[in-house]
Every structure is written in structure tokens, then in C-alpha cells.
Amino acid sequence: MQLAAVVCADWSAARRGREVFAARVAARLVERLDPLSDGWTVAGVLDQAQALARELDGAVLVGFDAALGVPQSYWARAPFAVASWATIRRFPDWLDLAARDPAFFEPAARPEAWSVARPFYRVPPRPGGRRDFEKALRAAGVEPLRRIEQLTGAQSVFVLGGVPGAVGAAAADLWRGLAEARTSLPRPRLWPFEAALDEPRAGPRVVVGEIYPRLAYGLALGEEQVEARSRLAISKNGARARSEALAALAGMPWVRRHGARLLGLELALASADAFDALLACAGLLRVVLEQTLLSREDLEDGLAEGGILGSGSVNLELPERRFQRLPKPRPTPRTPKPASRRAPPARAVRRP
């Protein structure tokens, strides 16, 4: 797919915690998109992407930092859980049905109330609360994680809250928004279910996929070749860590080599949400400019699990490493002054 632009949205359940950046490929430019007056919605992001696709007359890849897929084990049981799901063929078909039912997103109050028809839950604030829900899932033949989540260390899409890093609420909002957007034209196409990254089709269009910050950090800040490039952990909630990471990004060899311009650094320094959106956009721009892989076929599932954009340019088999602070510049050693070569004082000559 010849991409004209990449749009990356750092997503959350609350609108005020959302930031969106865009990378124009030909211009080598990463910039923040101004939010709507009442904050970003899925429809608002897609409208901006459509406008960008028309302006550039090309494909725009939109990445949302929210899960876009379900575990295969859940998928195998979904057609038997609800009568209207019996004819589903792939995730987008199921999404169009499930996400339009408000009751679908109501969390199960107790582990024994969990079901395939009502898969979301909040972890109760008691010891073993998460374990009890996971036992309920496995008793129904469902594993909590997709394969790509196991490899990246991500959370289960079904967890709405109760534990740090829960992603279910953001996914629920994204799924509702996409289901609504797909009722009108032009319909966004969902990767990897409905669109391939190498398809030759030209012209303005929008393709939506999933991104993951820690993978994106490795894309933007990894100096190694792809096979040696790992995921990165950054303490993004600390201003000092963000400052050091942004300084490293601005000095990356790939940024200088391609003449990339990174706008909005001051916003990313002030906000962890903007930080994630900018790093994701910069990382995917690097992949496009260096023509490495946006994905690996063995990490994609076009029926249920989906995939994560950028996973082809990070070695997920390597352990995640922590971003290291920029080393302090060593003081330049002073060059010692040469020893004085003045001639010795003339000795007085005694006259006889």
C-alpha cells in the first residue's frame, strides 16, 4: 500500500485523554491535529483522515491505541453464543452486530456471570479478583489474551478496569465508534480483516488498524537493525523521562537522514497522551520511509485476532528493554600546555 499519510490516535475512555498526530509521508512531517471543541471522537478522527486522503489523493493509515480483535478461542465460541452472530465470517461482521447492542458492553459483576455474550468485566478490588475472572473465561474455553498480546505484554481487551493499564474501556469506545462509522460511506476498512498493506489499489481511502505504544517506542528510538530491535519501556508519566526520550528522538540518525520534521515536541513534553501519539506517528513514518515491514504475516489473523501495526519492524521475540537516559556528555579533556622552552639565562662571564 502506497501510503500518503499515517494518523495515530492515543485513545482512552475519556475524551480529554486523547491526542492525535499525523505524519505526511512525502513532506516527512509529523504534526499534531487540532482536536474538536469537545474532544476527539472516532468519527472526528476518521473525518480528519478522510480529508487528508482527499487532499493527498492517497491512502491514509489510521492507528488507534486500542485493541482491534478478539482471541481465537473466543471467536470459536461466538457464533453459538448469540443467535444473530451465527453467520459471522470475520471480526468486522461481528463488530457491526455486537457493538450496536449497549448491553454487550455492560461488565459482568461476578466471575460466574461472565459469558461469551457479555465478555467485559472489571477486576474487583480484592485478592485473587483477576484470577477468578480468568478461571471463569478458561472454564468457558476462552483464553484472555490474543497471541499478539502475549508477545507484546499487552492487557486483555475484556478488562474494563480495576487494574493498572486496563484497555477494555478504550476498546469499547473504539468499537462503538467504528460500528457507527461503518453504517455510512465511505466506510473505513479494517486491517488486516478487510485491507492488505501491500494491496495496489490507488486513490483516497482510509484504513484503520491497531497500534501499541511500547512497540512504537522501539520503532522510533531503536538504533539497531530490525532483527536486533526490541520493544522499549519508557516511564512516560514522568516529565524527565519524556524530555530525555524526545531529545533522543530529535537526534536519531533516521530523523536526520530523511530530513524528518517533528512538530509538537513541546506538547509531547507536557502530556503523556501527546507523547504516545507523537512517538507512534514518528515510528510508523520511519517504517514507511525505510521500507521495512509494517507487519509480519505470522503475527496477523484476518479472521479474529487482527494484528498490531509496526510489528514487522521490531523483534518481538526479544525481551523488552528499558529506555536508557541520554548519557551526560563527558567533559573535553584539557590539552596540557607545552613545557616552556625558554633559553636558560646567560651566565655572567667573569673577566680575569
Side-chain angles (χ1 to χ4, degrees), residues 10-11 65 213-214 217 233-243 245 268-273 275-277 322:
D10 182 70
W11 217 242
D65 175 21
R214 291 190 172 188
Y217 299 159
I234 300 177
S235 302
K236 65 175 183 179
N237 291 324
R240 180 176 177 179
R242 293 197 301 272
S243 175
L269 177 59
S271 161
D273 305 307
F275 176 86
D276 274 355
R322 182 161 292 279

Side-chain angles (χ1 to χ4, degrees), residues 180-201:
E180 179 63 29
R182 289 166 57 81
T183 62
S184 58
L185 297 176
R187 286 178 55 159
R189 305 173 70 198
L190 306 187
W191 173 84
F193 312 101
E194 302 172 312
L197 296 174
D198 59 354
E199 63 181 14
R201 179 185 168 192

